[in-house]
Amino acid sequence: MPLSSVPRTRTTVFAPRLAALLDDHLGQDVFRLEPDTVGVAGPEVADRILAARRATETERPTFKPLHGRSISRTEASSVTRTIGSDVREALKRPLPEHVDLSGPWPLTGHLFLRDLILGQDPYRLRVLMSRNLELTTKLTWSVIALGAALPGWPRPGTGRLTALGERAAGAAGYQERRYAMGMYRRAAAPVCFTISTLVANALWLGFPFAEGMSNRNIIHESLRLLPPSWNILRNASPEYPALDDRIGAGDDVLLLPLLSHRDPALWDEPDAFRPERWDTLDPDSTPGYLPFGHSSERCWGRHMVMPLAELLLDLVRGAGLVVDPAQHTGHVPLLGLLGVADVRLVKPS
């Protein structure tokens, strides 16, 4: 029996609303969630809806309007390329030695990635990666306002900044600096947050891994069982009632990879962590598998997520760290980024 099929003693506890979705709607394709909201988990209907039109600026998960200012697709693409170049540069450099990745995850992995990718930028920019800023939007903008107002704004062209830091350094004036800091966070924080959460999920769901099991397979299976982007919102639009008469003219549509990724009609042993299934499945074309969105509009960060997640998982496996044997329950809160809130990694005794 492959190690990935061995029963584990860890229990994943979903927040009540997430558990209710799984209990009430698993295996359904279209269903009503609220008087003005329809849920969709069937792959055929989801495919038609996502192909019908592109996401509007308020539906995009990362590049929504920033403090009332629209972010064009051209600017979003440029910022994406910028953080992508920083990731590539970070992967070229020698990794820091003697890094201790034991401790609470995803926080520990998040801090490692922040320093790996953005460690050369000044504190006023790096502080924007703090997970504490997730608590309230007001807190985030208070930190941004302070950082934009303080003297000593970084100067471009010094050779001491990341490409994303250089982009921020070019801002002139208080308002532009606020916007630049907001864009810095919008671009970089999802990379650190998503990857550390994804690896924490993989460790919780699958450890111990079978010897020789590829990190890529492990990550794809983690993305299936706990997709960080577990829902995709599309606001009411005239295209949708024409695609399915169960959708009304005023209905918003909530597409739910959380459900399609566990649909027993689509997956063998849908609740089992089986990374070996990806030996024969293509993640870009498997029906119902949408960890990075639809083929018509893939997530901007997927080419950064996979290599960094594989690197981080490789470091954890190479260090011989283990999920704390005393931890038997992992809680998945109702947040935009789906993941186990606290996975404790320890050095083996």
Side-chain angles (χ1 to χ4, degrees):
M1 177 185 295
L3 190 57
S4 59
S5 300
V6 175
R8 294 172 175 82
T9 60
R10 293 190 289 275
T11 301
T12 304
V13 179
F14 288 90
R17 288 183 64 185
L18 296 171
L21 279 173
L22 290 164
D23 291 341
D24 298 342
H25 300 295
L26 191 63
Q28 300 177 16
D29 62 343
V30 179
F31 43 89
R32 187 154 294 279
L33 289 170
E34 303 287 348
D36 60 352
T37 307
V38 168
V40 172
E44 294 181 2
V45 181
D47 184 75
R48 293 199 299 270
I49 288 171
L50 291 172
R53 65 168 175 81
R54 301 185 77 176
T56 64
E57 66 173 9
T58 58
E59 294 167 345
R60 288 183 286 176
T62 300
F63 292 112
K64 290 179 172 65
L66 183 59
H67 224 237
R69 178 170 165 178
S70 292
I71 301 170
S72 70
R73 290 186 180 275
T74 299
E75 183 178 10
S77 177
S78 175
V79 173
T80 299
R81 291 194 301 271
T82 302
I83 183 64
S85 70
D86 285 331
V87 168
R88 289 190 296 273
E89 286 302 311
L91 291 173
K92 291 177 185 177
R93 295 193 295 267
L95 292 173
E97 297 182 1
H98 312 301
V99 174
D100 184 3
L101 293 175
S102 62
W105 278 68
L107 177 61
T108 300
H110 169 80
L111 296 176
F112 171 81
L113 288 173
R114 179 201 64 188
D115 293 342
L116 178 72
I117 302 168
L118 305 165
Q120 65 199 72
D121 284 342
Y123 179 75
R124 80 174 76 202
L125 296 178
R126 286 186 292 111
V127 74
L128 298 173
M129 299 303 100
S130 172
R131 295 187 76 96
N132 292 330
L133 299 188
E134 294 289 283
L135 296 175
T136 68
T137 302
K138 184 176 180 180
L139 177 60
T140 301
W141 278 102
S142 295
V143 171
I144 287 175
L146 179 62
L150 285 173
W153 185 256
R155 292 187 298 122
T158 62
R160 295 194 297 270
L161 299 170
T162 64
L164 193 63
E166 282 282 345
R167 187 182 181 95
Y174 174 71
Q175 293 299 336
E176 286 302 308
R177 289 174 180 178
R178 288 178 73 223
Y179 182 75
M181 290 183 72
M183 285 297 289
Y184 186 101
R185 176 173 168 78
R186 285 282 183 91
V191 175
C192 300
F193 290 170
T194 301
I195 294 165
S196 56
T197 297
L198 172 54
V199 174
N201 290 348
L203 292 163
W204 176 255
L205 293 166
F207 185 87
F209 305 115
E211 185 177 353
M213 178 58 65
S214 80
N215 287 332
R216 180 148 294 211
N217 281 5
I218 290 169
I219 292 162
H220 280 308
E221 187 68 347
S222 174
L223 283 165
R224 185 183 70 83
L225 287 170
L226 286 174
S229 297
W230 61 274
N231 69 84
I232 304 169
L233 175 66
R234 290 293 181 267
N235 294 317
S237 190
E239 295 92 343
Y240 301 149
L243 297 176
D244 193 292
D245 59 13
R246 290 168 289 187
I247 303 173
D251 284 334
D252 294 334
V253 178
L254 193 67
L255 300 108
L256 292 159
L258 174 69
L259 300 183
S260 64
H261 285 195
R262 291 174 179 256
D263 189 336
L266 301 175
W267 308 92
D268 295 330
E269 296 185 80
D271 293 325
F273 186 84
R274 287 182 47 206
E276 60 271 14
R277 74 174 82 232
W278 296 101
D279 287 337
T280 56
L281 293 176
D282 181 352
D284 288 331
S285 61
T286 298
Y289 187 64
L290 296 169
F292 297 113
H294 188 256
S295 58
S296 63
E297 200 169 10
R298 294 284 191 211
C299 168
W300 62 271
R302 68 185 183 121
H303 295 299
M304 289 176 272
V305 167
M306 292 305 292
L308 281 172
E310 290 180 68
L311 169 67
L312 201 51
L313 188 54
D314 199 46
L315 290 174
V316 170
R317 295 176 77 179
L321 299 176
V322 301
V323 176
D324 188 346
Q327 184 180 2
H328 300 293
T329 303
H331 293 274
V332 179
L334 182 63
L335 297 172
L337 186 65
L338 192 71
V340 182
D342 180 30
V343 179
R344 297 191 297 273
L345 288 193
V346 298
K347 298 174 183 178
S349 57

